[in-house]
Amino acid sequence: MSRLTGRGLPCRPLSRLTSLAAACAAAAALALPASAGASAHMAGVQSHVLWANVSNDEMDRQLDRMKELGVGITRVDVGWASIEPDAKGQYDPWYLGRLDHLVQGANARGIKLLLLFAETPCWASTAPSSLKQSCQGAWWDRDVQNYAPRHASDYADALAYVVRRYGDQVYSWEIWNEPNQDYFFHTSDPVGDYAKMVRAAYPAAKAADPRPIIVAGSLSDSDFEFTDALYRHGVKGYFDAWSIHPYSDDRSPLDGDVESPRYSFVRGVPAVRDVMRRYGDDKPIWLTEFGWSTCDVRGPVHWQNCVDQSTQASYLKSAFRRMRAWSYVPVGIWFNLKNTSSAPDDRVGNYGLMSQDGTRKPAFGAFRQIAQELQGGAPPPPGPSSAPPPPVTPPRHHLRHGRRRAVVRVTRWHGLVVVKGRAPRRTVARLLVFRRNGRTGGFARRASYRWRFVVRRSGHFRLRLHGHALRRGAWRIVVRPTAGAHWVKAAAVLGG
């Protein structure tokens, strides 16, 4: 869940008075109903136009499709590890050139940018030395970039650099991606470490340029409990908008009959809002990811399933129309513009409004209709169909994206701990169980239990763990590949 073409001219700074006025206007547009010439709600899409396999020509084609759709804002993943890969203050000109191209292209088409800023360069990472290996070789293939930074100030300085570079050409920046998921944020204390990053990054970004909107949270699902924990760690006042990813598995966005609001679109968003209001915070909520995949997986477990293309289009309309009823939710971003995989059973790779070759799904037309409803005005004109992208050779240290990810869920059942999920079929995986420290609140760095197992031919696994100690307390369950396997680990927390 990535950067512009050609070297852009440097941004011309505004006076401080003008900058402050622009910042106040931006904040007012988020919290209040739309005024003349503005919209109370924006419909956007996630795009991965800075990935190594996307050329600048393909980036331009995707931006053209967004304009045709009436996209108000696009969320793009930008790699700190790609901007500052080798040392603090040493910026990669190739990657910045791609980011320049994106900024110029989006602004030329009237599309706002939400740039997700994540992934730690090796020199700043808390990854163990066995993975960092003195930052030699392809460290990005050893998952080094998904570890929390050693110093939150390094992240803050890097964010301030890009905020200063692009000024109000970039509408908004998002602090990290899904820190409540271990595979994006490896640390024994995700709440504490993410709170440190937010408290360091926000003032640094505002000092660099007060105009862009700074978004924090970026939480997987409608995680109201993680939101509450972050507020207890002092994040209030360190962001302009809070963001969540209110996925609802294969269920309708209007289905509230689930075990927890976290996994419901219609119940989850208000649940997060309730937590914020308890802390006296009236900041807006942005939905920076949600969607439904059209892979061919159908089964009894909701979170493993996908939907057909007509259902995807129907759910898209229902979700955005529900969002319009929430005055405190001004931005909704569909995941994704385009499929990232052609494999029919790849759930993560089939969320797009278009298939990987550019073929449009019914959801493409549904989004165009809903964008017009939310943002007003005449429907955008139809554009030419796009050709498949040409192959591109990745540069020397562009980070890997799109590797297959494992998925894991865990529960207690009749005195046992049941771990189930999905990983690449017929691979050997490791299961690691880490105990939470009751005094510090963080998880141990060394696993209390370790197992190896083989993922079934179906790609699913189900394990039953025995042990008196596991019957109580909080534990972090990690499923990761063994040496030589190329997929991304997953983790879940078992509460106690």
Side-chain angles (χ1 to χ4, degrees):
M1 286 169 229
S2 340
R3 311 152 203 178
L4 301 193
T5 204
R7 294 285 302 185
L9 296 175
C11 304
R12 188 169 53 193
L14 300 179
S15 70
R16 182 166 182 79
L17 180 61
T18 306
S19 299
L20 289 171
C24 293
L30 284 171
L32 300 175
S35 57
S39 172
H41 296 90
M42 277 196 292
V45 294
Q46 171 85 42
S47 56
H48 301 296
V49 292
L50 291 177
W51 284 12
N53 63 344
V54 177
S55 68
N56 285 344
D57 287 344
E58 169 62 10
M59 183 192 301
D60 291 339
R61 282 191 288 271
Q62 292 195 30
L63 289 171
D64 287 340
R65 296 293 77 71
M66 292 182 214
K67 183 178 180 181
E68 177 186 352
L69 279 164
V71 166
I73 186 169
T74 184
R75 180 180 189 247
V76 181
D77 30 345
V78 174
W80 171 27
S82 296
I83 286 178
E84 206 175 21
D86 298 323
K88 188 177 179 72
Q90 295 184 15
Y91 306 108
D92 185 87
W94 178 88
Y95 192 80
L96 287 174
R98 295 216 69 206
L99 189 49
D100 291 345
H101 187 79
L102 170 62
V103 173
Q104 293 165 3
N107 278 270
R109 293 167 176 83
I111 300 168
K112 292 180 171 65
L113 288 169
L114 168 60
L115 298 186
L116 159 65
F117 197 63
E119 299 193 333
T120 309
C122 183
W123 59 267
S125 175
T126 54
S129 57
S130 59
L131 294 179
K132 293 177 75 168
Q133 298 175 18
S134 301
C135 297
Q136 300 299 307
W139 50 263
W140 48 91
D141 281 336
R142 300 192 292 269
D143 208 29
V144 169
Q145 69 279 5
N146 287 318
Y147 282 80
R150 188 169 303 281
H151 303 293
S153 59
D154 289 332
Y155 177 87
D157 291 342
L159 179 61
Y161 171 80
V162 288
V163 169
R164 187 179 303 110
R165 178 182 177 91
Y166 296 109
D168 65 353
Q169 295 180 76
V170 173
Y171 183 69
S172 50
W173 295 87
E174 191 170 25
I175 300 173
W176 214 260
N177 182 62
E178 299 189 348
N180 58 330
Q181 293 289 345
D182 180 81
Y183 48 75
F184 285 123
F185 197 55
H186 306 334
T187 169
S188 61
D189 184 12
V191 173
D193 285 344
Y194 184 68
K196 289 176 185 176
M197 288 176 60
V198 171
R199 294 198 307 267
Y202 183 75
K206 289 300 179 182
D209 193 310
R211 294 169 293 177
I213 296 163
I214 305 301
V215 183
S218 192
L219 301 181
S220 176
D221 306 314
S222 299
D223 198 339
F224 58 94
E225 295 168 314
F226 203 87
T227 298
D228 183 83
L230 286 169
Y231 270 87
R232 284 188 274 113
H233 277 70
V235 299
K236 181 184 176 183
Y238 289 91
F239 55 86
D240 301 316
W242 190 253
S243 59
I244 59 173
H245 302 162
Y247 290 100
S248 58
D249 302 328
D250 63 345
R251 301 180 180 93
S252 161
L254 307 183
D255 185 353
D257 186 19
V258 295
E259 67 273 18
S260 168
R262 173 174 175 171
Y263 306 113
S264 166
F265 187 93
V266 69
R267 289 178 57 200
V269 178
V272 174
R273 173 69 167 179
D274 288 346
V275 169
M276 296 174 68
R277 295 299 295 270
R278 282 207 309 271
Y279 286 91
D281 202 346
D282 200 36
K283 291 290 177 63
I285 296 175
W286 287 22
L287 314 182
T288 55
E289 279 185 31
F290 65 89
W292 287 263
S293 174
T294 57
C295 79
D296 62 5
V297 177
R298 307 288 188 276
V301 182
H302 289 287
W303 62 269
Q304 296 175 351
N305 289 340
C306 301
V307 299
D308 60 50
Q309 292 191 9
S310 63
T311 300
Q312 182 194 45
S314 174
Y315 284 179
L316 180 152
K317 290 182 181 180
S318 296
F320 275 108
R321 286 169 179 160
R322 172 59 64 172
M323 185 193 89
R324 184 172 56 182
W326 292 320
S327 61
Y328 54 87
V329 182
V331 175
I333 295 178
W334 178 268
F335 185 87
N336 260 327
L337 173 66
K338 190 173 183 179
N339 285 1
T340 56
S341 172
S342 59
D345 63 346
D346 187 340
R347 184 176 60 88
V348 175
N350 283 275
Y351 276 86
L353 303 175
M354 301 184 291
S355 62
Q356 196 174 36
D357 66 4
T359 302
R360 298 171 181 188
K361 303 178 188 179
F364 187 96
F367 183 95
R368 189 167 181 266
Q369 176 186 340
I370 213 73
Q372 182 186 356
E373 289 181 19
L374 292 181
Q375 295 160 193
S385 59
S386 58
V392 176
T393 302
R396 69 176 180 92
H397 55 255
H398 189 93
L399 299 181
R400 66 101 190 100
H401 287 286
R403 281 195 295 163
R404 298 293 296 272
R405 297 186 182 277
V407 177
V408 63
R409 289 201 175 178
V410 59
T411 186
R412 287 190 173 97
W413 180 77
H414 293 299
L416 303 176
V417 172
V418 179
V419 181
K420 56 186 178 181
R422 189 173 67 241
R425 62 192 69 181
R426 293 177 172 173
T427 56
V428 179
R430 296 177 65 198
L431 179 72
L432 306 174
V433 182
F434 300 86
R435 186 193 302 267
R436 185 192 292 273
N437 185 310
R439 181 176 58 83
T440 66
F443 288 98
R445 293 189 176 273
R446 295 180 61 86
S448 299
Y449 303 93
R450 301 168 183 263
W451 290 269
R452 285 177 182 255
F453 65 95
V454 178
V455 181
R456 294 192 298 237
R457 186 168 62 180
S458 65
H460 296 100
F461 58 84
R462 180 183 176 92
L463 308 169
R464 292 185 295 178
L465 311 183
H466 301 261
H468 183 74
L470 294 171
R471 296 178 184 177
R472 60 184 182 276
W475 301 80
R476 185 176 63 165
I477 314 296
V478 178
V479 173
R480 65 187 311 162
T482 53
H486 298 288
W487 47 276
V488 180
K489 73 178 183 181
V493 173
L494 178 68

